[in-house]
Amino acid sequence: MSLFYRTLLRPAVFLQDSERAHSRVLAVLSKMSRTRFSLSMLGALYRSPDLPVNVFDIDFPNPIGVAAGMDKNGEAVPSWQSIGYGFCEIGGVTLHEQPGNPKPRMFRINKEKALINRMGFNNIGANALQEQLQFWKDKGLWPDSPVGINLGKSKVTPLEEAPSDYSGSIKILWNHADFFVINVSSPNTPGLRDLQESKNLDSIIKNCCQINKQKSVEKGTSEKPLLVKIAPELGDGFLEDIVKLVKKYKLSGIVATNTTIQRPKTKHKSSEKVYQEKGGLSGAPLKDQSTEMIRKIFKITNGKVPIIGVGGILTADDAWEKIKAGASILQLYTGLVFEGPDIAKSIVKGLKRRIESEGFESIAEAVGIEA
């Protein structure tokens, strides 16, 4: 199936504008999500074998998830488990609906297996997303695997009001998330990465923790795991400050990393032209940079803060590298675009073989062995 995608389907898809192709794929998955029969058809083709892992006191059927940005508005929530993923992260969602940046805003670099996007948190807003997610629950189609929600800052919200913006989304969406990710690292919202500074991030996390606790008391259940997503270019000093905040507020983990604003060298003129576009770069060129950030976090925290690894994962070998560097679970985005719908299944199978061949009994035993 992977060969079929790469030789026949991918060339046809790549004739289309990148964002338009993305939207059409999501539309197909959304339709397939609406009946158990169509979901079972997807599962028969793409469902991954079990490779269970427990992180943040949450059980994941396998460690491969869908990264934020793939399904911003929760259009295909039931389908992700059926095509092999152990979890999905919806969003980024902002408190207020917003159109994002002007188009075109997503670009492929085919020879490098990379994407550049400057989407700008285009999404339907927290209230509409709540209605969309409730729809799946009311239809009895909610997946068995965990669902995370990625939170961004609304563009219309001043930086000094960011704490109430993030926490407002948590308040609206609390019932639908197994975990939340505070995204202060997208390069496509003006000033957003300034929120990674300790003085700014402290108040955001504090407000989010307060709402999280308030909702848990109201519902009589445990608080939801809160994580923070960081940029790959983050300096050591900033990283250490963020780790201090993670410990101070007892956050559940760190997502490493977001897209990069840096551009690699290339031998291809076609790639060099696309690299001139503004936005965040994802895919194969980000792989080593994100893996190194994972390794740094693991060392700084002595392996006590779980890490979701994301960035340039296209094969089981890529995934294994990030696990050995310190990632407990992983996420894909660009890999799905270039490798096709059976990438999760392929990677999970590859990881199972690795675990068995190297004498481990679980993924957890391999986390950080080469940090």
Side-chain angles (χ1 to χ4, degrees):
M1 184 62 71
S2 181
L3 180 62
F4 174 73
Y5 174 80
R6 290 198 299 267
T7 57
L8 294 177
L9 289 182
R10 187 171 70 185
V13 170
F14 280 15
L15 290 174
Q16 306 171 54
D17 168 79
S18 185
E19 184 175 354
R20 187 174 299 172
H22 184 141
S23 297
R24 286 177 174 172
V25 169
L26 269 183
V28 171
L29 287 177
S30 180
K31 290 181 180 179
M32 296 293 285
S33 294
R34 294 175 184 269
T35 69
R36 291 200 172 277
F37 176 74
S38 54
L39 288 171
S40 65
M41 288 176 58
L42 285 176
L45 288 171
Y46 301 117
R47 190 176 293 274
S48 296
D50 288 337
L51 186 58
V53 58
N54 182 281
V55 190
F56 333 125
D57 289 326
I58 297 175
D59 290 321
F60 296 81
N62 72 64
I64 305 300
V66 178
M70 183 60 69
D71 190 1
K72 289 176 178 289
N73 299 320
E75 298 174 59
V77 172
S79 287
W80 299 116
Q81 184 176 13
S82 294
I83 61 171
Y85 292 90
F87 66 105
C88 62
E89 187 178 324
I90 305 307
V93 62
T94 53
L95 181 61
H96 304 289
E97 178 185 7
Q98 55 188 38
N101 293 322
K103 298 178 181 180
R105 54 193 180 182
M106 182 183 288
F107 311 89
R108 299 186 202 92
I109 308 98
N110 295 340
K111 292 183 182 298
E112 320 285 344
K113 291 191 175 181
L115 297 172
I116 290 174
N117 90 81
R118 50 173 181 263
M119 303 299 287
F121 283 146
N122 57 306
N123 74 104
I124 58 178
N127 281 306
L129 179 60
Q130 189 279 139
E131 293 176 3
Q132 175 65 64
L133 299 183
Q134 187 62 51
F135 169 82
W136 296 124
K137 288 187 173 180
D138 291 344
K139 292 291 185 179
L141 296 168
W142 195 255
D144 297 326
S145 57
V147 176
I149 297 180
N150 183 285
L151 307 170
K153 184 191 76 67
S154 306
K155 189 174 182 179
V156 297
T157 301
L159 291 180
E160 60 270 19
E161 296 176 18
S164 60
D165 196 86
Y166 282 94
S167 60
S169 293
I170 289 181
K171 190 172 184 177
I172 293 168
L173 295 164
W174 197 87
N175 290 339
H176 301 301
D178 291 293
F179 63 92
F180 287 101
V181 177
I182 301 168
N183 184 350
V184 289
S185 54
S186 169
N188 301 316
T189 296
L192 187 76
R193 287 192 170 188
D194 293 342
L195 298 179
Q196 292 178 118
E197 294 182 15
S198 181
K199 62 180 181 179
N200 297 323
L201 186 56
D202 191 303
S203 57
I204 292 171
I205 294 174
K206 182 179 180 180
N207 271 40
C208 289
C209 287
Q210 288 173 345
I211 293 298
N212 191 23
K213 184 174 182 179
Q214 175 187 319
K215 296 297 291 186
S216 71
V217 171
E218 287 178 8
K219 300 295 181 180
T221 60
S222 301
E223 295 177 26
K224 301 293 175 74
L226 296 181
L227 297 86
V228 62
K229 187 170 187 176
I230 64 172
E233 304 92 354
L234 200 65
D236 291 349
F238 284 112
L239 178 58
E240 290 175 0
D241 287 343
I242 288 176
V243 168
K244 288 177 183 177
L245 291 177
V246 168
K247 293 178 179 178
K248 175 181 177 180
Y249 289 102
K250 299 180 181 178
L251 297 189
S252 296
I254 297 173
V255 182
T257 63
N258 214 314
T259 56
T260 180
I261 57 174
Q262 296 177 357
R263 299 291 185 264
K265 294 181 180 180
T266 179
K267 299 177 182 178
H268 306 288
K269 288 186 178 180
S270 60
S271 300
E272 189 174 339
K273 183 178 179 180
V274 183
Y275 279 152
Q276 294 175 10
E277 296 286 351
K278 293 182 179 179
L281 174 70
S282 63
L286 179 58
K287 182 185 72 170
D288 292 342
Q289 191 178 9
S290 65
T291 301
E292 184 56 33
M293 181 61 75
I294 291 166
R295 187 173 284 111
K296 283 183 180 180
I297 296 168
F298 191 87
K299 288 179 179 178
I300 291 173
T301 63
N302 294 315
K304 294 181 180 179
V305 175
I307 302 165
I308 298 181
V310 54
I313 301 172
L314 285 87
T315 67
D317 287 342
D318 298 335
W320 189 243
E321 283 183 19
K322 280 183 166 49
I323 290 168
K324 291 190 298 181
S328 294
I329 53 177
L330 307 165
Q331 291 179 327
L332 311 179
Y333 182 105
T334 307
L336 175 57
V337 174
F338 284 92
E339 300 301 317
D342 64 345
I343 184 174
K345 179 180 179 180
S346 174
I347 290 177
V348 173
K349 283 185 173 181
L351 289 177
K352 282 182 73 75
R353 288 193 294 268
R354 280 283 193 154
I355 290 169
E356 293 168 1
S357 66
E358 301 203 17
F360 298 113
E361 294 187 2
S362 68
I363 284 287
E365 290 184 6
V367 173
I369 58 173
E370 291 186 5

